[in-house]
Amino acid sequence: MTEEQTSALEQDIAKARRVLGHRNLVFVGLMGAGKSVIGRLVAQMLDIPFVDSDHEIERVSRMTIEELFQTYGEPEFRALEARVIKRLLKSGPRVLSTGGGAFMNDTTRAMVLTSGLSVWLKADLDILWARVSKRDTRPLLKTANPKQTLSTLLDQRYPVYAQARLTVQSRDEPKEIIAAEAIAAIARLDHRQDTVSTS
């Protein structure tokens, strides 16, 4: 990174902190989009805490996401997820990474849009598949054709994710670049209050 790029990033970080204020920065998007990886890095850059809602759910329930799905089913899991996210949104600022289905829940989405600043990490199917196919811990992908299932989820969810305040393209680039683009998108809200997209 050149001295000029470093200076620009530092200015963006200062602006992004102002824009965020006491709100939470909430990353939404499909599994494999990089919400935890990018979210954690953005939190470091902004010097605020990071929390992953899935990890928080596992901590409070003392069960894995997979176990919760198997034991209680998806509707019960979504209800628990909504309660956890509601609690997390009450204090900030921090960066919050959410599970892929969280923003699809009407209650959760309304809370995020009202009291947080939402960023959709948008990724193409091939990028997502390359990332999620390395592990078999995704309850929603335990199907006969997991790539087709992922494609169906993409078709169903992308119009809803598009309601997020900002969109940042997640792609096959170093995480530092995507994180810097997310911060730049937030910083631009300092100048104009309409939705800014880097896609």
Side-chain angles (χ1 to χ4, degrees):
M1 198 179 270
T2 66
E3 196 173 317
E4 195 175 329
Q5 287 171 320
T6 303
S7 173
L9 178 58
E10 284 171 357
Q11 287 175 15
D12 282 345
I13 287 169
K15 286 179 188 170
R17 280 200 195 110
R18 278 202 304 275
V19 170
L20 197 57
H22 293 293
R23 292 179 295 174
N24 284 277
L25 181 64
V26 184
F27 280 97
V28 303
L30 259 185
M31 59 186 89
K35 300 182 298 289
S36 294
V37 171
I38 301 303
R40 189 173 278 110
L41 188 53
V42 167
Q44 287 172 5
M45 293 162 89
L46 294 176
D47 195 25
I48 57 177
F50 170 80
V51 64
D52 182 304
S53 66
D54 279 353
H55 293 168
E56 190 65 12
I57 290 163
E58 290 181 336
R59 188 183 70 77
V60 298
S61 68
R62 296 187 179 150
M63 296 172 78
T64 66
I65 301 298
E66 196 170 2
E67 287 166 348
L68 286 164
F69 263 81
Q70 287 171 353
T71 308
Y72 300 109
E74 187 172 359
E76 276 298 311
F77 171 77
R78 295 298 171 205
L80 171 61
E81 181 177 57
R83 289 195 301 274
V84 168
I85 290 174
K86 181 179 182 180
R87 177 173 55 79
L88 292 172
L89 287 172
K90 282 182 178 170
S91 61
R94 69 177 135 213
V95 175
L96 171 59
S97 161
T98 61
F103 203 64
M104 300 302 293
N105 179 294
D106 293 343
T107 305
T108 303
R109 184 169 65 256
M111 288 188 299
V112 169
L113 292 174
T114 304
S115 59
L117 177 58
S118 49
V119 179
W120 173 24
L121 272 185
K122 183 181 182 182
D124 298 333
L125 178 62
D126 289 341
I127 292 278
L128 295 170
W129 178 246
R131 293 172 180 172
V132 301
S133 60
K134 293 171 185 165
R135 293 185 297 160
D136 65 348
T137 57
R138 311 278 185 174
L140 295 180
L141 295 185
K142 293 193 179 296
T143 61
N145 187 340
K147 188 173 184 182
Q148 181 55 51
T149 302
L150 186 63
S151 177
T152 302
L153 285 170
L154 187 147
D155 291 340
Q156 291 169 347
R157 292 180 175 183
Y158 274 27
V160 179
Y161 291 153
Q163 294 178 44
R165 186 71 192 278
L166 298 167
T167 301
V168 174
Q169 193 72 31
S170 178
R171 56 201 189 280
D172 213 2
E173 292 275 2
K175 60 187 179 185
E176 291 79 10
I177 289 176
I178 310 298
E181 287 176 359
I183 285 173
I186 299 160
R188 281 201 294 277
L189 289 176
D190 201 23
H191 301 297
R192 54 182 213 195
Q193 289 305 303
D194 56 340
T195 301
V196 177
S197 173
T198 63
S199 62

